[in-house]
Amino acid sequence: MKPEQERFWEVDLVALLVQWWKDIAIFVATALTFVVLALPVIIPALIMWFLLSINFTINGGMTLPP
């Protein structure tokens, strides 16, 4: 005799939600890790973008003798 096929409404919703929450937590941890590791690139890029947006120029500075 074959065992009865499990129906979709017999799924343990608590276990399903717990597993979903664990998956979401792993995703968020991965996203935060990516952002933290990217900060050394993101911060200078934002500074450069800001300086370019205000047309920042350096006048004077070191020049070579004639």
Side-chain angles (χ1 to χ4, degrees):
M1 187 172 201
K2 288 164 82 178
E4 268 194 52
Q5 185 177 1
E6 188 173 328
R7 307 275 189 230
F8 73 91
W9 56 80
E10 295 172 356
V11 173
D12 185 5
L13 291 178
V14 174
L16 186 67
L17 288 174
V18 167
Q19 184 61 44
W20 178 79
W21 183 253
K22 288 179 184 178
D23 291 343
I24 293 296
I26 290 171
F27 173 78
V28 169
T30 303
L32 284 174
T33 302
F34 177 79
V35 169
V36 168
L37 291 175
L39 281 178
V41 175
I42 292 172
I43 291 172
L46 290 174
I47 292 170
M48 292 293 291
W49 172 75
F50 173 72
L51 292 176
L52 286 171
S53 72
I54 63 170
N55 291 327
F56 179 77
T57 56
I58 298 175
N59 297 323
M62 295 177 59
T63 59
L64 295 174

